[in-house]
Amino acid sequence: MTAISRSPPGTWRLLAPALVAWALVAGAIVNPGSGRWLGLATLVIGIVAIAVSGTRRGVHLLQFAAIGCAMLVMLGARIDALEHVRADPEFANIAASGRTVPLEIEVRGFPKSSTDPSGRTSAWVPAAASSASGSIPVVLWFDEEDALDRSGERGEGAAQPASWGPGTSVRLDGALVALENGSSARYGVRVSSLGAGEGRAAQGWPTALPAAATALAADMRANLRDAAAEVSGAELVPGFAVGDTSLVPEQLEQRMRESSLTHLVAVSGANCALVVAAITTIAAWLRMPRRTRLGLAGIALASFVVVVGPDPSLQRAAVMAAVVLLSSFGGKRSVALPGLGVAVFALLISDPWQALQPGFALSVAATAGILLWVPDVMTLLGRVVPSPTWVRLPVAVAIAAQFACGPLLLLVQSGFPAAGLIANVLAAPAAPWGTGLGLLAMIAAQMLPAAAPMLVRFASLPARWIAATAEVTSALPGARWAWPGGWGGAVLLAAVEASALVAWWLLDRRFGERGGGRRRPRRVRGTGEPHPGAAGRDDASPVLSGRVPWERPRPRRHRVSTWVAALLCGSLGVFLGPTLVVPATTRLTTPSDWNVVACDIGQGDALLLRDARAPETVMLVDTGDDPERLVSCLDRFGVHRIAILVLTHDDRDHVGALSVVVDRVDRALVAPDNREDGDRRPVLAQLETAGVRTQIGARGMTGALGGLAWNVLAPEPGATPPDTNSASLVLRVQAGETSVLMLADTGEDEQRALRRTGANLAVDVLKVAHHGSSDHDPKLFEEAAADVALISVGADNSYGHPARSVTETLAELGTTVLRTDRMGSVAISGVPGALEMWAERGASSTPSNARSVDGSLVQWHRHVRQLPEGRPRRSGFPRSTGARRARLPSCWSPAPRASSRTGRVRRSAPRWSTRTPISKCTTSTPPHTPPANSSRSRARHCSPNRG
């Protein structure tokens, strides 16, 4: 890049070693014991480098090597020392036992809270637990009832979590949970009760704050949050000012995530720059000396950090700003890139485990991208669309930040946010106003409370603008392009971006506006005389910026043009593959005449039902808890509106992704109340807020709409079941010509009661209850006599689902078992006696009545059964090849097995379509309170069945 070539000497002398040290530290912290070897190895390498360096170039490289080795030696020693503290044997034994113990805790930040898609609120706060070895980093987890409670009593003298801040000391009772080696906290603490704190300050930067300052900062944050809660549309204001997102509803948070606007409520460099710029501007108006202005800016920056708290992104920005201010104070030119290198090293020394934190990585990447590429992007935009600087600057910043963070974002969420650029450009003018007015409102709430509501109302105007921007841009067609997530997708996108950068560098070096060097004087063609236009010009004068209109373009070298064309074509082809070719192929190979679809959403349920002859009327039964996978399934099968949403019960693995589809729902059918949850049901509140007409289901309720007819078989009307599983809605749905029985998460007792009602349970398709848990009534399978059993289950789940007893019982009855963990999403169509099936991928381990060939070709066996009187006879599956399928007539087996009522006849093999696997990425959302996502089943043969 030309930005590199224009950098002053020494610009990369700190940043490059810091980036290398960051990468090596990230590898060392996930392998305990590697820190000391990292420090020793770099020390030896540094000594050898000094001994062998003798050339001029060697001396130049030695400067980088010396700084890098010094950084790594210190980081290695720091990691080794902290690992010794984190490996305290007493804490390890307590965590292994699982018992609740009293702990001395020093809080390292302000409490944060979030609301998951099901409406459950949880809170957490970083802290350090005192041990014989030192302070062990932990994270405190609070239940919903304890989250940010400011009024409840927790013991004599107990401080409330909402008043905590960096430096607060508190005693509590909790159970330790060991976390992964790469986690910033060594243990999670399930807080059961709080006691009185000693009021002493925490030790060590950045938590060494006086108790009065901590209390004042916590009070200012709370006052701003309370004031914003009273103003409609001001939910984002605390996030702009101090990074407090507790008021942001989950639906708005999801839209901001889809439009790449979440960084606006994560306090970072932009906020620090705004604070410094405001103070220096005011001081300049007052005609204060330069050093006085810089000193006031430093004080304001330190105060801002105290109020916001030790967030990693803010620490990075604050350290970098402090380096720049100090260099300016000494009269030297401020250089941003060395400041970024110092910030990275300082934060890693403070906590090496930040090396694997997504927020830290995104913050550093975005800052580096903006510093390196914004000038060149602005120049390029000026060439393409001549425009003022104030118009090009926000666009260039958005492009540079998105370009730098793109590969890292794929580690958090798959997909390419195409609408993110538009959203950031539209939101850029409003964000500073929201931040500035929010900070003024927070100060006014402390000094002039009467003015705070008015300032919050003013701040809500830019907040509403940004919320509307997120809503509009996230709903744009093609707002998010398909792209594989995880490390594979990140490396692929990084390769595409690297190819584009190299091509740009070659073009800019050869034909750029800033080409240095000398230009030969123009001469009159055929005479060799100097051109009149060159008169008075020195032959050795430097090249002017830009192309001279009267001058002939310099010829392109064939080799350079070839490389540029190859790089651009290659990067464009690789980019269009996942974003255009794969989605188009997937859409073309997906069937359009389906009646039933079991979406692959992991360990959860989400089923689509409709009559293929009336495709506009769709029923969705449950949503699962993976919004990304649910939306992908809906888009793949062309579902834009949901005529009726059925929520069989309130467990998270059945309602967790409600927020992403609630805007598409016309009406909803939900389970009744249960004694476990009482009348506090966030699902009902979420549906009411979205304006969805809701009805409570019970046995005897029927309905019909657009080729769909349903009958609710359980639970009993007027009953209050003991738990969520017992309250599950059981439905028999006629989707076109395909009948489906959906058992939700009922157990053996509920299924026996269902059989005693005498309801017609014979169906074509059976949705197996509770992901195939062993808590089943085998006789219900016999009465259902289904051709197909759908088991919606997550791959490699820890619950033992599906139980072998369930799959074996279904196989003995001749029912073909289709599992989403092995086959992906499954679609079924056709008529009784000639059902047709399509699946995303071939199973590596297929059911007992099928075998796999190369993971994509499956040999299905036809099967027929003796059916109850008056019920039409049905055969199994004919062969299916995605959108192209053929129906085969029913047939009877002449000699059924004695152990089963079903005989089998071999038929031809269908070809399964394939797709790019959807990888579920870890998110940066801090952990919720450890209780599992769904209620406990009464399984007899599986390990803990909460899934």
Side-chain angles (χ1 to χ4, degrees):
M1 287 293 300
T2 56
I4 298 176
S5 63
R6 291 184 288 109
S7 300
T11 296
W12 287 87
R13 198 171 296 163
L14 287 174
L15 181 57
L19 295 179
V20 174
W22 176 17
L24 294 177
V25 167
I29 60 177
V30 296
N31 299 293
S34 302
R36 67 184 66 178
W37 297 110
L38 177 64
L40 291 175
T42 52
L43 179 61
V44 173
I45 292 174
I47 296 175
V48 173
I50 294 175
V52 300
S53 61
T55 64
R56 182 178 180 180
R57 178 170 297 182
V59 172
H60 181 69
L61 294 177
L62 180 62
Q63 298 173 353
F64 290 86
I67 295 175
C69 290
M71 287 182 175
L72 287 173
V73 169
M74 288 187 285
L75 287 170
R78 177 67 170 166
I79 293 173
D80 187 63
L82 292 179
E83 282 182 345
H84 175 71
V85 176
R86 292 164 67 101
D88 185 271
E90 181 181 358
F91 273 62
N93 294 333
I94 295 174
S97 66
R99 67 179 186 272
T100 300
V101 296
L103 297 171
E104 293 284 344
I105 297 296
E106 295 174 347
V107 179
R108 294 286 178 88
F110 291 101
K112 297 183 179 181
S113 66
S114 68
T115 303
D116 64 17
S118 64
R120 185 183 300 275
T121 301
S122 59
W124 66 95
V125 58
S130 299
S131 69
S133 304
S135 296
I136 300 177
V138 298
V139 57
L140 308 182
W141 297 333
F142 298 94
D143 292 331
E144 180 178 5
E145 292 78 9
D146 297 326
L148 296 179
D149 186 359
R150 304 182 62 194
S151 58
E153 294 295 331
R154 292 182 175 82
E156 184 179 357
Q160 305 305 319
S163 64
W164 291 357
T168 302
S169 177
V170 64
R171 293 174 181 174
L172 55 84
D173 293 332
L176 296 177
V177 179
L179 303 180
E180 297 179 352
N181 292 328
S183 175
S184 183
R186 181 66 187 93
Y187 297 99
V189 180
R190 301 174 183 170
V191 179
S192 56
S193 63
L194 299 177
E198 298 178 0
R200 55 189 173 87
Q203 300 175 355
W205 187 87
T207 58
L209 299 174
T214 298
L216 177 62
D219 190 53
M220 294 176 67
R221 292 168 61 95
N223 290 337
L224 177 62
R225 183 171 59 249
D226 294 342
E230 300 296 328
V231 178
S232 177
E235 297 87 356
L236 295 175
V237 173
F240 291 153
V242 294
D244 186 350
T245 59
S246 58
L247 298 180
V248 180
E250 199 278 337
Q251 190 173 359
L252 176 57
E253 184 179 357
Q254 177 69 21
R255 289 171 177 171
M256 294 186 68
R257 190 181 304 114
E258 293 175 355
S259 54
S260 298
L261 292 178
T262 52
H263 65 92
L264 297 179
V265 291
V267 179
S268 59
N271 305 75
C272 292
L274 181 64
V275 171
V276 172
I279 296 300
T280 53
T281 301
I282 294 174
W285 286 346
L286 298 177
R287 299 184 180 278
M288 293 184 178
R290 181 177 62 87
R291 294 191 174 184
T292 302
R293 297 197 301 265
L294 295 176
L296 291 176
I299 295 174
L301 180 63
S303 303
F304 181 65
V305 172
V306 170
V307 174
V308 175
D311 187 81
S313 60
L314 180 62
Q315 291 179 16
R316 188 268 316 155
V319 173
M320 179 177 169
V323 171
V324 174
L325 288 175
L326 288 175
S327 64
S328 300
F329 189 87
K332 298 182 179 180
R333 184 175 54 157
S334 301
V335 180
L337 289 177
L340 179 60
V342 172
V344 171
F345 175 69
L347 294 178
L348 291 178
I349 281 289
S350 172
D351 180 12
W353 277 261
Q354 290 191 57
L356 289 179
Q357 298 304 308
F360 176 80
L362 291 172
S363 178
V364 174
T367 304
I370 291 172
L371 295 176
L372 288 172
W373 299 326
V374 164
D376 296 297
V377 175
M378 289 186 63
T379 300
L380 181 62
L381 293 175
R383 293 179 184 176
V384 178
V385 182
S387 54
T389 300
W390 63 271
V391 174
R392 288 180 289 159
L393 180 59
V395 179
V397 169
I399 292 176
Q402 187 69 41
F403 194 87
C405 296
L408 295 175
L409 289 173
L410 293 173
L411 300 177
V412 180
Q413 184 181 18
S414 62
F416 187 83
L421 177 61
I422 302 175
N424 278 275
V425 171
L426 294 176
W433 287 101
T435 301
L437 291 173
L439 290 173
L440 290 177
M442 182 178 64
I443 297 173
Q446 202 69 22
M447 303 177 60
L448 190 62
M454 180 183 62
L455 290 173
V456 170
R457 291 186 183 277
F458 284 133
S460 68
L461 297 179
R464 291 178 181 179
W465 171 263
I466 292 176
T469 300
E471 181 177 359
V472 172
T473 54
S474 63
L476 291 175
R480 193 170 193 87
W481 297 346
W483 193 276
W487 283 104
V491 171
L492 184 63
L493 182 58
V496 171
E497 292 182 349
S499 299
L501 285 177
V502 173
W504 185 7
W505 178 76
L506 290 175
L507 285 173
D508 191 77
R509 184 181 182 185
R510 180 62 180 162
F511 310 110
E513 293 182 348
R514 305 179 200 84
R518 306 177 183 276
R519 183 171 57 189
R520 297 175 58 187
R522 296 194 61 201
R523 300 184 181 275
V524 179
R525 184 179 300 178
T527 64
E529 298 296 329
H531 194 279
R537 246 179 13 189
D538 186 5
D539 291 351
S541 61
V543 178
L544 298 176
S545 176
R547 293 181 55 185
V548 181
W550 59 82
E551 196 171 290
R552 180 182 300 176
R554 287 174 289 177
R556 301 184 180 184
R557 291 184 180 180
H558 178 70
R559 181 179 301 176
V560 174
S561 300
T562 301
W563 274 105
V564 170
L567 290 171
L568 291 179
C569 291
S571 60
L572 181 62
V574 174
F575 183 78
L576 292 179
T579 57
L580 181 62
V581 177
V582 172
T585 304
T586 301
R587 184 64 60 86
L588 291 175
T589 57
T590 301
S592 59
D593 58 345
W594 52 269
N595 290 337
V596 182
V597 170
C599 293
D600 178 19
I601 46 87
Q603 187 75 2
D605 282 358
L607 276 79
L608 298 170
L609 301 101
R610 72 173 190 185
D611 183 356
R613 295 167 297 186
E616 69 281 355
T617 304
V618 178
M619 171 187 286
L620 172 62
V621 180
D622 292 333
T623 67
D625 65 346
D626 191 326
E628 183 181 351
R629 288 191 174 188
L630 178 62
V631 171
S632 176
C633 182
L634 296 178
D635 293 342
R636 178 164 197 168
F637 290 95
V639 177
H640 305 291
R641 292 296 302 176
I642 299 170
I644 178 168
L645 170 66
V646 179
L647 300 177
T648 58
H649 58 297
D650 293 3
D651 285 347
R652 182 180 174 184
D653 58 336
H654 291 256
V655 301
L658 174 60
S659 60
V660 298
V661 297
V662 70
D663 290 338
R664 309 186 189 188
V665 176
D666 296 331
R667 56 183 293 197
L669 181 66
V670 300
D673 295 341
N674 62 86
R675 292 196 295 271
E676 183 180 36
D677 293 339
D679 56 357
R680 296 180 57 186
R681 299 181 61 187
V683 169
L684 297 179
Q686 194 171 1
L687 292 170
E688 182 181 359
T689 302
V692 178
R693 184 162 53 95
T694 305
Q695 188 176 13
I696 304 297
R699 186 169 69 86
M701 186 178 297
T702 60
L705 184 67
L708 287 171
W710 61 91
N711 182 17
V712 181
L713 305 181
E716 292 292 329
T720 304
D723 52 34
T724 55
N725 284 354
S726 302
S728 294
L729 293 180
V730 178
L731 282 81
R732 189 184 191 277
V733 181
Q734 190 69 34
E737 297 180 332
T738 306
S739 56
V740 186
L741 177 62
M742 291 173 290
L743 299 177
D745 273 7
T746 54
E748 184 176 4
D749 294 341
E750 291 79 24
Q751 294 173 14
R752 287 178 178 175
L754 179 62
R755 288 194 299 108
R756 289 195 294 267
T757 62
N760 179 18
L761 303 180
V763 288
D764 303 310
V765 179
L766 172 68
K767 185 269 168 186
V768 179
H770 211 158
H771 323 296
S773 166
S774 62
D775 188 16
H776 270 82
D777 178 18
K779 292 185 178 180
L780 185 139
F781 293 158
E782 297 179 10
E783 291 195 18
D787 286 341
V788 181
L790 296 175
I791 301 180
S792 182
V793 61
D796 300 325
N797 66 86
S798 60
Y799 311 110
H801 296 161
R804 179 176 297 181
S805 60
V806 172
T807 56
E808 289 179 350
T809 300
L810 291 169
E812 291 175 359
L813 294 173
T815 299
T816 300
V817 178
L818 306 180
R819 300 168 48 171
T820 58
D821 61 335
R822 294 178 175 176
M823 302 176 182
S825 297
V826 177
I828 298 173
S829 62
V831 298
L835 291 180
E836 301 175 347
M837 187 276 298
W838 173 95
E840 280 185 317
R841 58 180 179 267
S844 59
S845 178
T846 57
S848 59
N849 59 342
R851 62 182 178 86
S852 175
V853 180
D854 297 332
S856 60
L857 188 63
V858 178
Q859 178 71 39
W860 290 96
H861 297 258
R862 298 290 303 281
H863 59 275
V864 192
R865 68 191 77 254
Q866 298 289 342
L867 302 178
E869 261 186 58
R871 183 170 176 215
R873 305 184 187 276
R874 298 188 305 273
S875 66
F877 294 110
R879 64 185 181 90
S880 170
T881 57
R884 180 182 178 184
R885 289 169 287 198
R887 294 181 178 178
L888 299 181
S890 302
C891 60
W892 289 91
S893 170
R897 296 191 317 178
S899 61
S900 172
R901 297 176 298 167
T902 304
R904 299 180 176 87
V905 179
R906 292 185 181 272
R907 293 295 178 188
S908 57
R911 182 173 301 277
W912 297 59
S913 64
T914 59
R915 69 175 175 97
T916 303
I918 301 176
S919 64
K920 186 174 182 181
C921 307
T922 56
T923 67
S924 57
T925 303
H928 294 287
T929 307
N933 298 335
S934 61
S935 59
R936 189 180 304 275
S937 73
R938 298 182 292 274
R940 296 168 299 188
H941 303 296
C942 302
S943 57
N945 285 273
R946 293 181 63 84

